[in-house]
Amino acid sequence: MRSLIAGNWKMNGRMADLRRIVAPLGAAAGQLGCDLLICPPATLLAPAARLLDGTAVALGGQDCSALADGAHTGELAAGMLHDAGARWVILGHSERRANHGESDAAVRAKVLAAQAAGLAPIVCVGEHEAQRLDGQAVAVVSGQLAGSLPDGFAGVVAYEPVWAVGTGRTPGEADVAQTHMAIRAALVARFGTAGRGMRILYGGSVKPCNAAALLAVPEVGGALVGGASLDAEDFLAIARAAPQLSKAGQGG
Ligand code: 13P
């Protein structure tokens, strides 16, 4: 399976940034042996879709409502993201869990809405630092998976330790391997064969200098990149550090 290198722009980016970042990605993506995805703010989805038309770079949103159209001021329906050109959506990011009080049940409802609208969800899980120090990382992540993934889940999981997001700190490779193997075991136990094929991304301070080591860890199927995805050269350097596999050779 090809690695997925996804960029989460968070609340960053104007039209000028879009042109600067997207043009080099679009030009390079076809030669890469991994899949590229960018998730800019919703305001930039439609222009990004126009700029990326005909390239191998996919587009995603950063959140969606669990509800369909209606009287929900300020909300974005999954179908609206799809209409603007998105085919993916990040859900349950730790910033939304912390700043918007999103529970596992709320994330699960959003996953169902996303899938119904034709979006592939990227569901984020990850422990706080105190939980890791307490030896609870795997238990926390397993609980989040059980609560956030609905039956029939067909997407990607991103393991993002909260303490590694935007801090420049990353877990050791052995810790990443342990958590990713636990996530794989949980996915297989719940979804059988389908769970074997689901990509599990690592996220949290992925940079060009640490990408090769993190992306070589067993069961790491790509990266969810924050800050470094706002620089086209850094983002492409991370993509080039991923194991490279041709489309034809990607298997199941
Ligand atoms: P950073 O790469 O900036 O640490 O952000 C990670 C992240 O939150 C991606 O969703």
Side-chain angles (χ1 to χ4, degrees):
M1 196 185 336
R2 281 158 65 104
S3 299
L4 173 64
I5 306 299
N8 175 7
W9 288 19
K10 308 192 179 184
M11 199 173 74
N12 296 293
R14 305 288 193 273
M15 276 303 293
D17 305 298
L18 190 63
R19 289 191 201 93
R20 178 173 53 78
I21 298 169
V22 154
L25 301 185
Q31 282 82 53
L32 290 171
C34 63
D35 296 331
L36 275 195
L37 164 68
I38 60 163
C39 301
T43 49
L44 294 181
L45 281 174
R50 285 192 287 276
L51 286 170
L52 291 171
D53 190 32
T55 77
V57 182
L59 259 185
Q62 300 176 10
D63 179 44
C64 70
S65 174
L67 304 166
D69 306 75
H72 311 294
T73 302
E75 292 290 287
L76 290 168
M80 293 172 175
L81 300 182
H82 190 279
D83 191 44
R87 295 295 176 266
W88 295 80
V89 63
I90 298 168
L91 293 172
H93 190 280
S94 59
E95 287 151 13
R96 294 212 58 89
R97 290 178 186 265
N99 303 338
H100 300 269
E102 287 190 8
S103 64
D104 290 335
V107 175
R108 188 171 66 240
K110 291 181 176 202
V111 171
L112 288 169
Q115 293 188 169
L119 299 177
I122 299 177
V123 176
C124 302
V125 294
E127 81 286 355
H128 288 271
E129 184 158 35
Q131 294 168 322
R132 169 156 291 277
L133 294 174
D134 205 23
Q136 296 300 311
V138 166
V140 167
V141 165
S142 302
Q144 288 175 323
L145 287 176
S148 304
L149 304 186
D151 292 341
F153 175 68
V156 168
V157 170
Y159 169 55
E160 297 205 313
V162 180
W163 53 273
V165 170
T167 60
R169 299 164 60 209
T170 56
E173 287 147 39
D175 287 336
V176 174
Q178 186 200 26
T179 314
H180 276 242
M181 284 191 287
I183 293 171
R184 175 66 67 209
L187 292 176
V188 171
R190 176 104 184 260
F191 303 109
T193 315
R196 265 181 229 293
M198 289 173 188
R199 285 185 280 203
I200 308 169
L201 312 184
Y202 168 79
S205 297
V206 177
K207 307 288 177 204
C209 61
N210 60 21
L214 287 165
L215 289 163
V217 171
E219 297 294 0
V220 172
L224 184 53
V225 184
S229 71
L230 295 166
D231 181 303
E233 280 316 305
D234 282 358
F235 192 56
L236 284 172
I238 292 167
R240 291 190 184 101
Q244 303 287 306
L245 204 61
S246 71
K247 285 257 186 212
Q250 73 174 308

